[in-house]
Amino acid sequence: MTTTTPSASTSTSRRILVEIIVWYAGRRSVSRRLPFYDVGCLEDRPLVVNVFDDDDGRRGDDDDALKKIVDLEMVVKSGQGAFETDDDVARTQKEFLKLGNAVRARGRLSRRAPGSHGEWSLACEEVMELVESWAESRPGVAFSREGRIKGGDGT
């Protein structure tokens, strides 16, 4: 008798190497070494900007479905990618991963199980650059999810 198991695609998709440009809307920490971030796309830009075929960085075919993702959960984990140590995670958080900031990052994208926090998850492997600093672009304006969506300082 042959038994079948549910396809992996019913709960998660294959982990796709992508480059993203996102802004940080919220942070939930499991521990100092394992922060989770709620991230979203910048205004009219797609969140996923590049899709790679493999770890050698060859550009893959653009997947229109991936270009429609507007928010996801991102995890930064010590021992993963460029984050070799806890200090690497802490340094990246201090320099780049501040609420309201927009960054360019690379990581493995996967579909989350139904009922999880959001549909998509990104295991971040590297933060490549700060695209926009909330504090520098809006001096004296406190970050809020609603404010960012409406244009930040109300202008």
Side-chain angles (χ1 to χ4, degrees):
M1 179 170 156
T2 305
T3 59
T4 59
T5 57
S7 166
S9 63
T10 60
S11 61
T12 60
S13 65
R14 61 187 174 90
R15 292 170 44 98
I16 304 164
L17 182 62
V18 297
E19 181 180 342
I20 62 173
I21 296 179
V22 296
W23 64 275
Y24 289 90
R27 177 177 174 201
R28 293 170 278 116
S29 292
V30 172
S31 71
R32 184 176 146 240
R33 295 174 25 194
L34 190 62
F36 288 83
Y37 293 89
D38 295 322
V39 299
C41 61
L42 288 172
E43 287 119 27
D44 296 331
R45 294 172 155 175
L47 188 140
V48 176
V49 294
N50 284 318
V51 180
F52 299 94
D53 280 337
D54 55 34
D55 292 329
D56 295 332
R58 289 185 297 157
R59 184 107 190 269
D61 295 329
D62 289 337
D63 185 328
D64 289 337
L66 296 179
K67 300 284 185 176
K68 294 178 183 174
I69 298 171
V70 295
D71 59 13
L72 57 86
E73 176 185 75
M74 186 175 93
V75 62
V76 177
K77 185 177 179 182
S78 181
Q80 180 173 304
F83 309 110
E84 294 178 8
T85 66
D86 294 348
D87 289 340
D88 294 331
V89 173
R91 188 173 22 264
T92 300
Q93 288 175 318
K94 184 177 180 181
E95 293 176 18
F96 300 105
L97 303 181
K98 297 177 183 177
L99 291 176
N101 281 0
V103 299
R104 180 182 300 269
R106 180 186 279 202
R108 302 278 172 183
L109 184 67
S110 60
R111 190 176 297 273
R112 296 177 52 86
S116 298
H117 183 85
E119 182 179 1
W120 294 95
S121 179
L122 181 87
C124 185
E125 296 178 357
E126 177 183 18
V127 174
M128 296 150 40
E129 77 174 298
L130 179 64
V131 174
E132 178 184 317
S133 166
W134 178 269
E136 290 176 14
S137 64
R138 296 164 188 83
V141 177
F143 173 79
S144 73
R145 287 179 191 238
E146 296 79 19
R148 177 63 175 147
I149 293 168
K150 294 177 184 174
D153 57 6
T155 59

